[in-house]
Amino acid sequence: MQRHLISAADLTRDDAVLILDTAEEMARVADRPIKKLPTLRGRTIVNLFFEDSTRTRISFEAAEKRLSADVINFTAKGSSVSKGESLKDTAQTLEAMGVDAVVIRHGASGAPYRLANSGWIDAAVINAGDGTHQHPTQALLDAFTMRRRLIGRDAGLGQDLSGRRITVVGDVLHSRVARSNVDLLHTLGAEVTLVAPPTLVPVGVENWPCEVSYDLDSTLPKCDAVMMLRVQRERMNAAFFPTEREYSRRYGLDGDRMARLPEHAIVMHPGPMVRGMEITAEVADSDRCTAVEQVSNGVSIRMAVLYLLLGGNEPAVTRPTGSEEK
Ligand code: NCD
């Protein structure tokens, strides 16, 4: 494992499988009456959020607290960033406080990389989403969800996603979730197909390790999981499709389309969902949709990542809860 987690593309197959297996151990902690391990006691983690977030921010915080770390939450709104302070000065302030890890979400693609490689701070850097670039813990929690649902909780241990067919649908152009998933799923041996209107397919996609299709209906019967993406209006500076109705009609998932999926296939969404746009309420609320499960799995994955980056050689959860560590 590297010291930082900046991109899903930096993970080898063995790194990724180790994270997924460690997350399974961490998930067992959630089943206990006291959901806490002493592993990161005395370590300080800062959550540095320059962009809005619900699920990612809350689940990182839950993961840090379950590992007994000291947690500092920083949101750009209400901080000196709104007075014009730079990332460098913010980073040096954190360094002066002696933080061990920084979880950063930033609107600029590359901000976490800059933070990790600038020499401004000594802490481990974990990317919680940068612009349209990467969101590696999201890809890991998605792979974890797929492995559990398609292979099984115990049967999945040590396994990758070889031969599984995953379709990712929607606003690929603006999606760090799509980029991270393509990288990680490829590393894990899955076959990925992107489905989007031609205007929302990124330039250079032919160099990505995946297929591209413009036709959702013909792709659905051949997949094990379909991942719906939100149309990221906040990142759009032009009209990419005629109307919302037109978009939903061609690229939205409704009950009729869902019926085309093989029996075992699951429907995924990273959240936030825009019901009525990329997914209907009927599909979002169905048993096949794993959106809520993805959120709980996110806590286990983030615990595993923090443990592996910061926890050193201590055993993950073999120690009974509450026992003293040296
Ligand atoms: C995504 C994000 O912020 O990249 N959400 C998430 O982290 N769960 C996707 C989105 O905003 O649509």
Side-chain angles (χ1 to χ4, degrees):
M1 284 282 290
Q2 311 204 350
R3 243 193 97 223
H4 308 288
L5 179 58
I6 306 297
S7 168
D10 298 337
L11 297 170
T12 64
R13 181 224 174 251
D14 289 351
D15 288 338
V17 171
L18 174 67
I19 297 171
L20 302 186
D21 289 352
T22 308
E24 279 297 358
E25 288 194 57
M26 295 299 175
R28 283 186 238 280
V29 176
D31 299 335
R32 297 183 186 174
I34 298 172
K35 302 178 179 28
K36 228 169 159 88
L37 293 172
T39 322
L40 297 185
R41 211 170 41 186
R43 307 292 196 97
T44 305
I45 304 179
V46 176
N47 299 316
L48 199 57
F49 278 70
F50 293 91
E51 233 192 33
D52 295 345
S53 174
T54 303
R55 277 151 284 267
T56 306
R57 191 168 55 79
I58 294 173
S59 80
F60 263 111
E61 189 174 343
E64 292 153 5
K65 289 183 168 162
R66 282 189 193 171
L67 292 173
S68 308
D70 294 322
V71 180
I72 300 175
N73 288 311
F74 170 103
T75 30
K77 267 186 215 120
S79 75
S80 289
V81 172
S82 45
K83 298 180 188 168
E85 186 162 64
S86 68
L87 182 59
K88 179 174 179 178
D89 291 321
T90 308
Q92 284 175 338
T93 305
L94 300 177
E95 179 66 4
M97 290 178 194
V99 306
D100 297 292
V102 180
V103 174
I104 176 173
R105 168 168 287 199
H106 203 289
S109 301
Y113 178 86
R114 183 87 179 101
L115 194 61
N117 295 289
S118 57
W120 298 332
I121 52 166
D122 203 27
V125 176
I126 299 166
N127 182 1
D130 62 330
T132 59
H133 177 227
Q134 279 280 328
H135 192 354
T137 56
Q138 179 70 42
L140 285 161
L141 76 87
D142 290 336
F144 182 84
T145 307
M146 289 176 214
R147 196 176 77 166
R148 263 197 173 183
R149 282 285 196 119
L150 302 175
I151 307 178
R153 199 169 168 166
D154 293 326
L157 288 175
Q159 303 285 317
D160 59 21
L161 293 169
S162 288
R164 308 286 157 171
R165 291 161 307 172
I166 318 297
T167 302
V168 180
V169 188
D171 184 1
V172 177
L173 181 64
H174 301 102
S175 178
R176 51 198 179 203
V177 176
R179 281 171 184 72
S180 307
N181 264 287
V182 168
D183 288 335
L184 187 69
L185 288 169
H186 173 69
T187 302
L188 289 172
E191 292 162 26
V192 185
T193 304
L194 300 176
V195 180
T199 48
L200 290 174
V201 173
V203 172
V205 79
E206 56 283 358
N207 299 322
W208 295 18
C210 62
E211 302 289 316
V212 178
S213 162
Y214 304 111
D215 180 16
L216 184 54
D217 289 325
S218 65
T219 316
L220 289 178
K222 294 177 286 191
C223 64
D224 299 304
V226 57
M227 184 183 299
M228 304 307 296
L229 301 172
R230 184 175 64 88
V231 173
Q232 308 218 349
R233 292 231 173 256
E234 74 279 18
R235 300 190 204 281
M236 291 186 181
N237 51 11
F240 287 88
F241 45 85
T243 61
E244 291 192 0
R245 207 162 153 257
E246 173 78 7
Y247 180 88
S248 318
R249 207 174 55 77
R250 298 212 40 194
Y251 297 99
L253 192 63
D254 60 11
D256 288 344
R257 282 218 164 100
M258 186 167 70
R260 290 171 170 262
L261 287 166
E263 196 82 40
H264 69 276
I266 54 170
V267 175
M268 306 180 72
H269 196 302
M273 295 192 269
V274 184
R275 289 168 181 245
M277 182 75 175
E278 72 272 7
I279 193 165
T280 61
E282 181 193 359
V283 176
D285 296 331
S286 77
D287 290 345
R288 304 181 83 166
C289 180
T290 60
V292 177
E293 213 173 297
Q294 286 167 260
V295 176
S296 351
N297 291 342
V299 178
S300 308
I301 279 291
R302 287 163 182 138
M303 286 174 78
V305 166
L306 290 163
Y307 167 75
L308 291 167
L309 291 184
L310 294 179
N313 302 320
E314 298 279 327
V317 283
T318 43
R319 235 175 256 272
T321 332
S323 72
E324 286 303 301
E325 328 181 274
K326 301 242 163 55

